[in-house]
Amino acid sequence: MAEAKGKAKAKETKEARETKETKAPAASPAAPQKARIGVFVCHCGTNIAGSIDVKGVVEYAKTLPDVAYAEDYQYVCSTPGQKIIEKAIKEKKLTGTVVAACSPRLHEPTFRRATAEGGLNPFRFEMANIREQNAWVHMHDKESATDKAKDAVRIAVAKAALLQDLTPKSVTVEKTALVVGAGIAGMQAALDLANAGIKTYLVEKLPTIGGRMSQLDKTFPTLDCSQCILTPKMVDVGRAPNINLMTYTEVDAVEGFIGNFDVTLRKKARGVLSTDEAEAKGIVGGGCNGCGDCEPVCPVIKPNPFEMGMKPRKAIYIYHPQVVPLLYTVDFDTCIKCGLCVTACGEKKAIDLEMKDELVKLKVGTVVLALGYDIFPVEKKREWGYQQFENVVTSLEFERLICASGPTGGHLIRPSDGQTPKRVAFVLCAGSRDNTGIGKPYCSRFCCMYSLKHAHQIIEKIPGVIPYIMYMDIRSFGKMYEEFYYRIQDEGAKFIRGRVANILEDKATKNLHVYAEDTMLNRPIDLEVDMVVLAAAVQPASDTDRTRKLFGVSCSQDGWLLEAHPKLNPCGTTTAGVFVAGVCQGPKDIPDTVAQAEGAASAASIPIHIGKVELEPYFAQCIEEKCAGCGMCVNLCPYSALSLVEKEGGKKVMQVTEAKCKGCGTCGGFCPGGAIWMQHFATPQVVAQIDAFLTGGAK
Amino acid sequence: MAEAKGHDYALFLGCIAPNRYPGCEASAIKCSRKLGINLHDMKGASCCPAPGAFGSIDLNVWYAMAARNVVIAEKMGMDIALECNGCYKSIYEVNEKLKHHDELRDMVNEVLKTVPDPTDPTKKGTMEFKGTIDVFHLVELYADPKICGPDKIRENVVRPLTGTRIGVHYGCHLIKPKKERHLGDTENPMWIEELVAALGAEPVQYRKKMQCCGAGGGVRGYDLVHALDITNEKLINLHEAKVDAVTESCPFCQLQFDRGQIEIKEKFGKMWGLPVLHFNELLGLAFGMSPAELALDMHAIPVDPFLKKIL
């Protein structure tokens, strides 16, 4: 019945068009603002035309009210395509344009410019997405897809007829940047920003910078010592005059928008004053100089998380000798406040056991998030026995065990008895590429390569050792990686293609039995080894979700931060002025991390160097005559963009801080009096779209 | 609902327990009552049907037969309790599948329409799967502190199995596949061990505890030597751990361990002589039932060495 009604309506409009065509000259002077919309339907090669009858959509568009012109073109986004729009605006005296093509995320700016070139306000343009949301999902149903495209065009035309001229606002950009996270990604981004002449705040939640890379022994495929290539950068960061390094600090709150982020940092109570802080307090020549006198006297012993808990630390500690800044930290969760360290510190008066968290406010123009990763809790994969069997370790624990500065001085030993293992199994994809719902569905991307490196390291250090690499596929994708793979094969590592089913411990010897299917030889295997290293999957660092929400950054379903476009804007996010770098955006190795950090730094420096940014004019407007001053919207606004002000005569009305408003529409949808006008998404425009959908019929 | 009187369940017997090891059934009825679990007979219940045998050949027959058994309990207005892992796979899994898949349920109900009513075989069209009940394994109910729990069992023990070492075989269908079950850890579960400890025995860990008995999934029927090979490995590992008996929650595993030892003697020439007892039988002994009441003389491998330790 609805269909029949739709058909009748379409017929009606067609008749209306015919009469309009003949009577148009007479009618136009009477209604000078009568909308005249041009519709441009794109073939996008066969992307759209393959599943939608483009010509049919054009013919249909011509029957719609307010449509003065309709045309199709192979690629509307091409230069000739844009020219068609410009020409039509001028020749047909259009008041608005509709392009039915791809997602507005791709070409909205293109068609806005074309609309502006034709002499209209760029916001007189509306886009109908008939590719991503139509042609690509209804590939095998051309008839329905065409009907749906007609619906989309009808809806867009209804809105375009009511669009208004809008002018974007521009705001000045604060000439400072903030980098959150000081692993290799954050350090590189901060160094680049600082070298580009931008004052940069580098914030790190741990007491030292360096991140995961500082825990690694060697890096693949070059086998450079990780610390050796990292520490010069750490020193640079510590010394760069343009970098304000704030360790043991977290982001507490964020307000504002691109160019003007108001960031509140929580400087966690460290219990130790730096030399600068001491000087500010009037302690001459005081503050922590890293002498370490406090550490031996501390009676509290705790596991050092930097060493994956395999080495002790005191309640006043540094992670390792190369920390930047060289500044001790008191762990107030375990400190018993005996005061022995204060006595040992003496005249330097660096230790303050009554220190409290401090909030610091900053204003920054742009932000780079480099939040890093954690190891997936691989004990959840119960079948591999991590934390049940002593000789099953994770790859990060292995890194510390093989590292000369680690808890064993670089001698790989079995945790159960301190013996040197002669048979070591490396279990790849330990929690990665796992569709059981326990592990992670994605590839963690660097485990294959570091496991090859691990095999090399034990072959180098332990005569007669046999590394067994239990793999699904070896993904040696990078420059010189495949060559490294061949090298490790030649060095004698044994490769067994088969996912490990389970691992059991021999209670007497603490040796491990690794059960798998050798899919190359098509037989089940029971491999007895001295030690198992699980190449555990990686997952977003524990704080990632909280931090990303503060900055309004989305994440993909696996928790990694969502880039603005996976291919063409890999460093940007959907929040203007916030960029991402490193593993927090998705697993990647050190070269890719550094490259992305440089990209993010470059992107973050652009608005700062330009000095101003244009904001989309989608903000809310208050219709003061209708506003009752109830203030409900003020509390609802997630961006604190609204406030109540008193007008002459004591009338209270809502006022919008346009630069803060993101145009989300929460207030406009709620306002009981209909007093809020959402620019570009105004009630009459949206209602017209709904009406067009419900009362039309694409037959 | 019936808190004062205890918990009521429809008892689904299965085939192997009543035919080969009737002690399982005797214990289920007598011991459960002491633990506040009242079991009621399901009139007209059939084979579950065996998941490996039927499921491998015609899934639709498997769905329909299992659903028919579920419907009998639905009509009684009771959840099902059963004592065999094979039955658990069929009845639990089909019940869950039909609850969540409308198309499958409609298809099965089409078949059930043509099935006579077990309470009045002259009537047809009364059988319809509605999805109103749940299915439990009896050991699961014993372990659940809301229904029974190890403490309640401990309180009712009159003949503690003190001094015996018992290896637990969980059997595959009870807890796997993990996604389709709700009984927790599949790699090293310990909850049946807790029940065994509540009887006063010492539960013993052994190598490859979670390995299959060898029989399931139709392996026993298809390739007996291969099945026995797996069983033999389990027996080696149990022997290494110096157990006095192995217990399980599945009469089919029990058959494989028990009859299987005779077959292993025939095929491989090794006689292990390890007593095999269903958890129900252990529970019966601990609750004071006599070996005759539990028909323990029907076992292929004599359980006397074990009985000597506790009687």
Side-chain angles (χ1 to χ4, degrees):
Chain A
M1 207 187 119
E3 250 176 43
K5 215 173 166 185
K7 269 181 197 164
K9 172 92 183 176
K11 208 174 161 194
E12 216 173 80
T13 49
K14 191 162 187 190
E15 278 162 15
R17 186 180 64 86
E18 276 160 9
T19 41
K20 197 162 76 184
E21 264 176 15
T22 46
K23 287 180 183 171
S28 56
Q33 284 108 358
K34 178 91 181 90
R36 292 176 58 80
I37 306 300
V39 177
F40 306 90
V41 186
C42 185
H43 291 246
C44 197
T46 56
N47 271 313
I48 292 170
S51 29
I52 287 172
D53 172 15
V54 170
K55 297 278 182 200
V57 175
V58 170
E59 286 313 307
Y60 173 76
K62 287 179 182 167
T63 69
L64 292 170
D66 298 327
V67 171
Y69 183 73
E71 189 179 348
D72 60 297
Y73 192 71
Q74 272 294 325
Y75 293 100
V76 183
C77 61
S78 65
T79 310
Q82 295 177 50
K83 288 280 175 223
I84 288 171
I85 300 175
E86 291 170 36
K87 203 170 138 220
I89 292 171
K90 285 173 186 153
E91 288 179 1
K92 310 287 175 189
K93 301 197 168 39
L94 301 180
T95 62
T97 55
V98 166
V99 176
C102 51
S103 159
R105 285 188 65 181
L106 290 175
H107 273 305
E108 191 177 60
T110 313
F111 299 128
R112 276 201 180 144
R113 267 196 303 276
T115 304
E117 290 290 319
L120 285 177
N121 180 284
F123 292 91
R124 293 282 190 150
F125 159 76
E126 180 67 15
M127 200 150 179
N129 181 348
I130 59 166
R131 193 177 74 163
E132 286 83 345
Q133 291 175 353
N134 188 341
W136 282 355
V137 282
H138 306 297
M139 264 177 208
H140 306 293
D141 188 357
K142 193 161 182 171
E143 200 181 325
S144 303
T146 305
D147 286 350
K148 188 173 168 182
K150 289 173 180 175
D151 283 345
V153 167
R154 186 173 70 248
I155 293 164
V157 167
K159 182 173 178 186
L162 298 175
L163 286 174
Q164 297 173 312
D165 290 354
L166 296 174
T167 317
K169 298 247 164 182
S170 77
V171 292
T172 55
V173 175
E174 191 72 25
K175 298 218 172 275
T176 52
L178 169 70
V179 178
V180 185
I184 181 60
M187 284 163 50
Q188 185 65 48
L191 282 170
D192 281 13
L193 284 163
N195 289 340
I198 296 164
K199 173 89 185 158
T200 304
Y201 298 94
L202 178 57
V203 172
E204 168 59 50
K205 68 178 173 186
L206 296 180
T208 175
I209 63 173
R212 292 280 173 217
M213 191 179 164
S214 63
Q215 288 179 287
L216 310 180
D217 181 39
K218 286 184 176 176
T219 60
F220 59 80
T222 48
L223 300 169
D224 310 277
C225 152
S226 184
Q227 280 282 43
C228 306
I229 57 174
L230 182 71
T231 44
K233 277 203 192 291
M234 290 167 67
V235 173
D236 285 351
V237 168
R239 289 199 175 145
N242 265 338
I243 295 181
N244 188 338
L245 178 59
M246 305 171 87
T247 52
Y248 214 49
T249 302
E250 283 171 359
V251 181
D252 205 55
V254 181
E255 277 185 21
F257 47 91
I258 178 170
N260 297 275
F261 289 105
D262 292 302
V263 182
T264 309
L265 302 176
R266 175 176 297 275
K267 211 165 155 253
K268 292 184 280 185
R270 180 170 212 150
V272 174
L273 297 170
S274 68
T275 46
D276 290 348
E277 287 164 339
E279 205 174 293
K281 286 198 163 190
I283 307 166
V284 180
C288 181
N289 61 7
C291 69
D293 288 347
C294 49
E295 199 176 337
V297 300
C298 177
V300 180
I301 295 175
K302 284 283 153 188
N304 185 351
F306 180 81
E307 303 286 0
M308 308 307 288
M310 295 184 292
K311 205 174 176 178
R313 69 154 166 79
K314 298 297 188 69
I316 185 159
Y317 66 96
I318 51 172
Y319 270 177
H320 57 90
Q322 286 150 302
V323 293
V324 173
L326 179 54
L327 201 55
Y328 274 75
T329 305
V330 178
D331 172 16
F332 282 110
D333 289 338
T334 55
C335 172
I336 54 168
K337 299 203 176 177
C338 63
L340 288 172
C341 55
V342 180
T343 318
C345 190
E347 282 309 296
K348 292 187 291 293
K349 292 184 180 162
I351 302 171
D352 174 5
L353 295 180
E354 300 307 319
M355 202 182 262
K356 294 273 173 288
D357 287 5
E358 211 179 295
L359 294 180
V360 182
K361 285 190 187 294
L362 300 178
K363 205 169 182 68
V364 295
T366 54
V367 178
V368 175
L369 299 180
L371 308 178
Y373 67 93
D374 283 339
I375 294 289
F376 162 72
V378 73
E379 64 274 16
K380 283 190 185 168
K381 296 293 288 183
R382 299 265 304 151
E383 59 267 41
W384 296 327
Y386 180 63
Q387 289 184 355
Q388 300 165 55
F389 310 139
E390 287 170 83
N391 293 327
V392 178
V393 302
T394 66
S395 42
L396 205 50
E397 287 166 346
F398 179 92
E399 289 285 349
R400 295 317 300 157
L401 288 173
I402 202 82
C403 180
S405 65
T408 57
H411 299 286
L412 182 66
I413 55 164
R414 289 178 10 131
S416 67
D417 52 13
Q419 295 299 309
T420 305
K422 292 286 186 186
R423 298 161 299 178
V424 183
F426 295 92
V427 176
L428 270 58
C429 298
S432 309
R433 304 175 70 193
D434 179 317
N435 289 321
T436 61
I438 300 165
K440 307 289 178 184
Y442 49 78
C443 166
S444 293
R445 284 188 91 224
F446 44 84
C447 334
C448 282
M449 290 308 295
Y450 71 57
S451 294
L452 295 176
K453 179 203 69 173
H454 289 171
H456 166 84
Q457 285 175 292
I458 59 170
I459 290 171
E460 192 180 57
K461 288 197 172 184
I462 307 170
V465 74
I466 307 174
Y468 294 95
I469 296 183
M470 322 285 299
Y471 70 101
M472 291 167 74
D473 306 279
I474 294 290
R475 296 187 164 175
S476 51
F477 55 92
K479 192 174 176 182
M480 298 302 287
Y481 288 10
E482 190 71 8
E483 292 86 336
F484 188 71
Y485 177 24
Y486 295 145
R487 176 177 165 186
I488 306 308
Q489 287 177 347
D490 291 342
E491 285 179 1
K494 305 279 182 221
F495 289 79
I496 298 170
R497 196 186 78 179
R499 181 151 229 188
V500 173
N502 63 329
I503 295 170
L504 292 175
E505 186 185 53
D506 186 324
K507 298 288 172 204
T509 59
K510 302 275 179 188
N511 286 350
L512 300 155
H513 287 263
V514 179
Y515 297 96
E517 182 191 350
D518 186 332
T519 56
M520 289 293 199
L521 297 177
N522 195 15
R523 64 178 185 202
I525 51 166
D526 167 2
L527 187 68
E528 187 175 352
V529 294
D530 304 320
M531 191 173 188
V532 169
V533 181
L534 300 175
V538 295
Q539 63 181 28
S542 56
D543 239 16
T544 301
D545 210 46
R546 187 188 70 88
T547 313
R548 75 164 178 87
K549 282 178 182 159
L550 291 176
F551 288 97
V553 172
S554 314
C555 68
S556 44
Q557 62 184 17
D558 42 28
W560 302 110
L561 300 189
L562 193 65
E563 63 285 341
H565 189 283
K567 294 171 188 72
L568 302 178
N569 195 351
C571 302
T573 68
T574 44
T575 305
V578 179
F579 303 88
V580 286
V583 179
C584 68
Q585 179 261 332
K588 55 180 70 68
D589 56 9
I590 295 168
D592 285 2
T593 293
V594 172
Q596 195 186 19
E598 301 210 272
S602 155
S605 70
I606 292 169
I608 291 175
H609 285 314
I610 291 174
K612 64 179 172 106
V613 284
E614 252 183 22
L615 302 177
E616 298 262 42
Y618 296 159
F619 25 81
Q621 296 272 289
C622 178
I623 307 167
E624 291 184 3
E625 311 82 79
K626 288 191 183 174
C627 179
C630 69
M632 297 298 282
C633 55
V634 176
N635 297 326
L636 283 173
C637 178
Y639 306 102
S640 323
L642 311 181
S643 54
L644 279 183
V645 292
E646 211 170 290
K647 289 277 167 181
E648 286 166 42
K651 187 188 182 215
K652 278 191 178 168
V653 294
M654 183 273 274
Q655 196 176 53
V656 185
T657 307
E658 288 171 351
K660 281 189 178 178
C661 175
K662 305 248 189 250
C664 70
T666 308
C667 58
F670 181 80
C671 180
I676 298 175
W677 181 264
M678 297 305 308
Q679 298 202 118
H680 210 64
F681 296 93
T683 306
Q685 294 166 357
V686 176
V687 168
Q689 286 181 289
I690 297 169
D691 284 352
F693 174 63
L694 294 176
T695 61
K699 289 281 176 185
Chain B
M1 290 180 286
E3 264 155 40
K5 287 187 202 159
H7 303 271
D8 290 281
Y9 293 93
L11 173 63
F12 182 79
L13 286 174
C15 304
I16 298 173
N19 284 306
R20 306 242 192 184
Y21 301 106
C24 296
E25 180 186 346
S27 157
I29 293 165
K30 290 195 172 171
C31 301
S32 300
R33 204 173 298 146
K34 291 187 186 166
L35 296 167
I37 297 171
N38 303 318
L39 300 175
H40 302 267
D41 289 335
M42 287 171 67
K43 192 172 181 233
S46 66
C47 173
C48 61
F54 280 76
S56 308
I57 293 163
D58 191 337
L59 274 175
N60 291 336
V61 173
W62 185 58
Y63 289 136
M65 276 182 75
R68 182 182 165 281
N69 286 324
V70 172
V71 172
I72 292 172
E74 282 186 357
K75 283 169 165 275
M76 293 164 71
M78 288 175 199
D79 290 343
I80 290 178
L82 41 73
E83 51 184 352
C84 167
N85 293 5
C87 301
Y88 188 70
K89 176 167 175 76
S90 291
I91 307 235
Y92 174 84
E93 221 168 281
V94 170
N95 188 39
E96 291 302 308
K97 277 208 168 82
L98 296 192
K99 276 186 188 179
H100 297 110
H101 293 87
D102 295 351
E103 267 177 41
L104 192 59
R105 186 174 58 225
D106 293 347
M107 191 199 78
V108 165
N109 277 334
E110 278 301 307
V111 178
L112 289 181
K113 261 188 210 165
T114 65
V115 171
D117 190 323
T119 53
D120 180 2
T122 57
K123 270 201 293 185
K124 276 188 185 175
T126 57
M127 301 293 281
E128 188 195 353
F129 179 90
K130 297 200 173 82
T132 52
I133 62 154
D134 292 320
V135 178
F136 300 96
H137 197 297
L138 207 46
V139 284
E140 173 190 359
L141 298 175
Y142 289 151
D144 185 349
K146 290 196 286 291
I147 309 288
C148 168
D151 291 338
K152 199 163 179 182
I153 289 180
R154 196 175 291 113
E155 286 162 20
N156 282 283
V157 168
V158 296
R159 183 196 288 144
L161 310 182
T162 318
T164 58
R165 293 167 58 81
I166 295 179
V168 176
H169 172 79
Y170 279 76
C172 307
H173 295 314
L174 181 63
I175 54 171
K176 286 181 179 177
K178 191 172 186 168
K179 272 189 202 165
E180 293 171 13
R181 297 289 187 273
H182 57 275
L183 296 173
D185 185 17
T186 53
E187 296 305 322
N188 189 17
M190 292 298 284
W191 52 276
I192 298 186
E193 274 88 342
E194 283 175 34
L195 295 177
V196 168
L199 303 179
E202 182 192 346
V204 178
Q205 294 294 301
Y206 59 99
R207 254 161 72 82
K208 290 195 170 184
K209 180 171 93 177
M210 299 315 293
Q211 197 186 16
C212 174
C213 66
V219 178
R220 183 180 164 83
Y222 174 73
D223 185 347
L224 183 62
V225 174
H226 189 82
L228 292 175
D229 203 29
I230 298 173
T231 313
N232 197 39
E233 195 186 341
K234 289 253 3 174
L235 289 164
I236 292 171
N237 291 334
L238 283 159
H239 180 77
E240 244 177 34
K242 298 188 179 62
V243 298
D244 298 313
V246 58
T247 189
E248 26 53 41
S249 56
C250 175
F252 195 43
C253 297
Q254 173 149 335
L255 181 71
Q256 179 68 5
F257 282 127
D258 191 36
R259 276 285 324 154
Q261 290 188 55
I262 306 290
E263 290 157 346
I264 285 169
K265 171 79 175 98
E266 284 164 12
K267 307 262 183 204
F268 308 147
K270 170 80 187 170
M271 173 45 86
W272 293 102
L274 178 69
V276 186
L277 290 145
H278 192 282
F279 179 77
N280 283 7
E281 294 174 332
L282 281 185
L283 185 71
L285 287 171
F287 278 24
M289 289 172 77
S290 70
E293 269 181 291
L294 291 165
L296 295 185
D297 55 330
M298 289 186 71
H299 283 228
I301 300 295
V303 293
D304 302 337
F306 180 78
L307 294 178
K308 263 184 209 151
K309 290 205 160 190
I310 56 163
L311 292 177

